[in-house]
Amino acid sequence: MNNVNGFILIDAPASALNNAGPDIGAKTENTIAVKKIRRGRGEYVYVSGQAFRYWIRNSLENIFRWELSPIERESKIAFTAANPFKYPDDDVFGYMKAIGKKSGTTLTRVSPFKCSPLISVTPVNIVNDFGVMARHEGDPVPYEHQFYSTVLKGIFSLDLDSVGRFSSVNKTGYMNITQAYKEEWETHNCIVEEDGKVISLPVDIRGKRASELIGVLPYIFGGAKQTSHLTDVSPKFIVLAILNCGNNIFMNIAVDEKGEAAINVKALKEVILDYQENIISDLYIGKREGFMDEYNEDLKHMLDELNSTLSNIKVHLLTVNDAVSNFQQVVSGFYKR
Amino acid sequence: MRVLRVHLVGWTASFRYPIFVTGYQPTLPVPPVSTIYGLISAAKGEYITPKDTKVGYVMRSDAKGIDLETIYMLSNDNSVKSNIYKREFLLNPDLYVYLTNLSFKDAFKKPEYSLLLGRSSDLMMVEEVKEIDLVQKHGKKRVGGTVVPFGEEGIWGPLQALPMYFSNTIPREAIRIRPYYVLGDFIEYEGDSFWYDEELDWGVYIHG
């Protein structure tokens, strides 16, 4: 199984990216709390995995004009909402479509794209902000909302073998399509494999979908309270590589160093060396100038060391956009092997 | 007893109680045995049951949080309704899995599918794969971070009916459901039903 493994850091100064609804214990009755988790004496804020997926899905629509699968089904068109041939987001984000016993099978597709929640690297001071709505006549309406300043970490994996490849094996997560799609796969010039059990889109479409999913990362936009906080949620630090296994190796790169978010360059170097046989593409590190610049020297140093030791892969240190666009080429190239 | 010990870490995990269907979704403090078999199946890339290997495990986590999620409910008249519910999850799961079948070493060195602990957002990383010896230690030892079948002498804790594993059919069927003590925290235990991991200083209950 070949997977893109990715790690990102998002800088969130004065942000409220994902809210948990009314804060029950608050002084005012209309305080909106940010999503957080308490650990010991510290509070860690997070953006749920579901919200992060939503940002990516919407950004794909805006940036690459993906036609998103409609959520509402119409009775006459039986297969639009779970149609990975027509809708690229059904393909890469998976689906579950429960169909009544009369009309047949329940379709499910394991999402080739998987992502963690975005979690703050360090404990966070959450600010309660006080506001009023006073543009109307009469008493002003006070309200409170919370925000924070932090660095969020996230990881994701994209199963490259599954993108644009649909199975009709009767197993949970693998019953992606049925014979009823035959017309669809014929019009999309699909390749029929394993006696019709597996249907693949042409490699250029698979490459396009996978590389656009990666390519949207520098342009992701989303999150709550953007009108008053306008957080740039595009990654400021990113690590990308293709692995030939399902291990998510970049989970310990960001660390809490005396209350500050830090990049553990040593840990990054160690996982690259430990998994060099599993890493089957060049490794791309992207970093935005001005974000954690104190690690520039360490990263360059690591790069030189790795590139003189490693024979099968090369490590690149670029800007975020260059790292992503170069890696997009690697992903498209993967399908043309 | 020679076993394979796999150490996995992640950022989040959640294990739903089978009895809660809608509304608030609490998480079990530790995974049921079926989740461990699911994890091994993902690593191996094929369906694994207690016939293939016995398992033991110890899982700890740092904290518990509550997420707010949207679910979409499909009904038979082709309409879709969205609903918001609260779901608990665990922070920084730290899991040691013990397998009696040593041949799974390669599967964890190079897992076939992305390793998850709970849901698709609960990604996991293999820290270490190692062959170790579990020993018999008489007298007091600390045990926890796992589930233990009901009736085991000297064990106490909240009870929950859980499956051992799931069938590979549609719909999946829960197999060998029985009551288990859910040991979220560690307790002191004196019996001999647990093996003992000398390095990590805790008892390991082997299922299967």
Side-chain angles (χ1 to χ4, degrees):
Chain A
M1 188 64 63
N2 300 292
N3 285 292
V4 168
N5 247 240
F7 171 83
I8 56 171
L9 287 178
I10 287 172
D11 192 20
S15 308
L17 291 171
N18 202 196
N19 292 318
D23 186 356
I24 310 286
K27 289 191 293 282
T28 50
E29 278 173 9
N30 55 2
T31 299
I32 298 298
V34 293
K35 283 189 177 176
K36 57 181 170 283
I37 182 165
R38 180 169 281 281
R39 176 191 169 198
R41 267 184 286 174
E43 284 185 311
Y44 293 74
V45 293
Y46 68 91
V47 172
S48 62
Q50 188 180 41
F52 184 39
R53 288 168 75 84
Y54 181 79
W55 298 357
I56 292 181
R57 202 189 276 250
N58 271 10
S59 303
L60 282 162
E61 184 182 27
N62 295 332
I63 304 294
F64 292 112
R65 301 281 155 217
W66 278 26
E67 189 186 346
L68 298 188
S69 179
I71 289 177
E72 261 177 278
R73 294 190 282 155
E74 287 170 42
S75 55
K76 281 181 189 167
I77 314 161
F79 292 106
T80 46
N83 183 341
F85 299 97
K86 186 172 181 201
Y87 300 109
D89 65 323
D90 269 346
D91 181 356
V92 298
F93 292 100
Y95 45 80
M96 174 167 175
K97 186 183 179 191
I99 297 171
K101 280 207 173 109
K102 264 185 277 170
S103 48
T105 2
T106 291
L107 295 176
T108 54
R109 176 166 170 79
V110 173
S111 175
F113 176 75
K114 300 180 182 71
C115 65
S116 71
L118 304 171
I119 306 173
S120 66
V121 180
T122 57
V124 174
N125 277 326
I126 297 169
V127 179
N128 273 304
D129 193 24
F130 184 75
V132 283
M133 173 61 185
R135 286 174 51 217
H136 55 282
E137 279 184 33
D139 292 339
V141 181
Y143 65 91
E144 276 185 71
H145 86 273
Q146 299 185 331
F147 68 89
Y148 48 78
S149 297
T150 191
V151 172
L152 301 161
K153 61 178 181 180
I155 57 159
F156 59 86
S157 88
L158 176 67
D159 179 347
L160 292 175
D161 300 311
S162 298
V163 174
R165 196 160 184 270
F166 317 117
S167 116
S168 58
V169 177
N170 195 13
K171 205 168 76 167
T172 307
Y174 295 87
M175 189 76 184
N176 306 154
I177 52 167
T178 64
Q179 274 294 324
Y181 284 97
K182 200 161 189 301
E183 209 172 294
E184 286 281 353
W185 77 61
E186 277 167 359
T187 51
H188 287 86
N189 297 320
C190 286
I191 301 135
V192 180
E193 296 163 74
E194 296 174 29
D195 292 337
K197 284 244 181 280
V198 176
I199 310 291
S200 292
L201 283 163
V203 284
D204 52 328
I205 299 180
R206 297 175 70 192
K208 185 170 182 285
R209 288 181 179 182
S211 73
E212 284 182 349
L213 186 86
I214 303 296
V216 84
L217 288 167
Y219 305 102
I220 44 174
F221 179 82
K225 290 271 171 197
Q226 288 295 45
T227 35
S228 47
H229 288 271
L230 196 60
T231 306
D232 170 14
V233 293
S234 69
K236 298 290 174 288
F237 179 76
I238 188 162
V239 180
L240 292 161
I242 301 177
L243 267 77
N244 65 1
C245 65
N247 203 353
N248 302 297
I249 61 172
F250 300 126
M251 294 195 90
N252 55 6
I253 299 174
V255 288
D256 176 351
E257 217 172 79
K258 292 175 190 155
E260 292 286 322
I263 300 169
N264 189 343
V265 181
K266 220 173 124 189
L268 176 58
K269 185 180 159 195
E270 195 182 285
V271 286
I272 297 170
L273 285 171
D274 281 358
Y275 290 96
Q276 52 179 299
E277 278 162 31
N278 298 115
I279 301 173
I280 56 165
S281 74
D282 278 7
L283 189 129
Y284 288 85
I285 301 169
K287 204 188 139 301
R288 186 83 75 207
E289 200 60 30
F291 176 75
M292 292 192 179
D293 280 345
E294 60 273 29
Y295 296 98
N296 287 357
E297 283 309 308
D298 288 357
L299 286 168
K300 272 181 206 142
H301 190 65
M302 178 194 79
L303 204 72
D304 293 339
E305 273 186 16
L306 285 174
N307 285 335
S308 59
T309 356
L310 298 170
S311 51
N312 57 332
I313 50 173
K314 203 168 177 303
V315 185
H316 307 266
L317 179 60
L318 302 159
T319 65
V320 171
N321 291 42
D322 283 350
V324 169
S325 64
N326 286 8
F327 190 70
Q328 275 189 282
Q329 304 297 321
V330 174
V331 170
S332 321
F334 171 85
Y335 290 98
K336 293 178 191 132
R337 292 168 309 170
Chain B
M1 180 170 54
R2 194 81 176 155
V3 294
L4 193 67
R5 188 181 74 192
V6 185
H7 182 203
L8 299 118
V9 294
W11 294 348
T12 55
S14 57
F15 315 107
R16 56 181 296 268
Y17 277 83
I19 48 169
F20 290 82
V21 178
T22 54
Y24 192 81
Q25 291 282 334
T27 176
L28 290 160
V30 295
V33 187
S34 55
T35 302
I36 302 297
Y37 277 108
L39 186 73
I40 301 169
S41 301
K44 186 77 179 164
E46 55 193 74
Y47 178 55
I48 302 298
T49 70
K51 281 188 207 109
D52 304 295
T53 180
K54 294 182 179 187
V55 297
Y57 59 96
V58 175
M59 196 201 96
R60 294 165 300 173
S61 59
D62 281 352
K64 191 159 78 174
I66 301 168
D67 198 4
L68 200 65
E69 280 194 346
T70 309
I71 54 166
Y72 294 98
M73 295 181 294
L74 301 171
S75 46
N76 284 338
D77 62 354
N78 289 325
S79 65
V80 181
K81 265 196 282 185
S82 74
N83 195 4
I84 292 172
Y85 72 108
K86 284 185 172 170
R87 181 178 65 82
E88 289 183 352
F89 67 98
L90 302 164
L91 185 72
N92 297 338
D94 184 46
L95 171 70
Y96 287 88
V97 180
Y98 299 82
L99 297 97
T100 54
N101 186 338
L102 303 177
S103 73
F104 284 89
K105 193 178 209 163
D106 292 339
F108 281 98
K109 291 243 174 207
K110 188 178 173 243
E112 181 70 21
Y113 295 105
S114 203
L115 297 177
L116 306 169
L117 198 62
R119 299 148 48 88
S120 68
S121 57
D122 303 326
L123 295 126
M124 296 293 281
M125 167 181 177
V126 178
E127 271 285 310
E128 188 188 47
V129 185
K130 193 175 169 185
E131 271 186 39
I132 62 150
D133 285 308
L134 289 178
V135 297
Q136 277 292 352
K137 185 195 175 198
H138 304 299
K140 282 181 184 169
K141 48 191 163 284
R142 55 189 201 110
V143 301
T146 189
V147 303
V148 181
F150 173 68
E152 199 59 64
E153 211 171 304
I155 297 292
W156 46 271
L159 282 171
Q160 175 61 46
L162 296 168
M164 179 92 178
Y165 62 104
F166 279 90
S167 73
N168 201 17
T169 54
I170 289 186
R172 293 187 303 162
E173 271 172 61
I175 298 174
R176 282 163 69 184
I177 299 173
R178 58 186 294 187
Y180 285 92
Y181 296 107
V182 180
L183 299 184
D185 295 318
F186 281 80
I187 60 169
E188 206 154 81
Y189 165 77
E190 272 196 75
D192 287 335
S193 298
F194 281 69
W195 290 79
Y196 179 67
D197 184 331
E198 284 177 303
E199 192 188 334
L200 297 170
D201 181 29
W202 59 42
V204 179
Y205 190 90
I206 300 291
H207 300 266

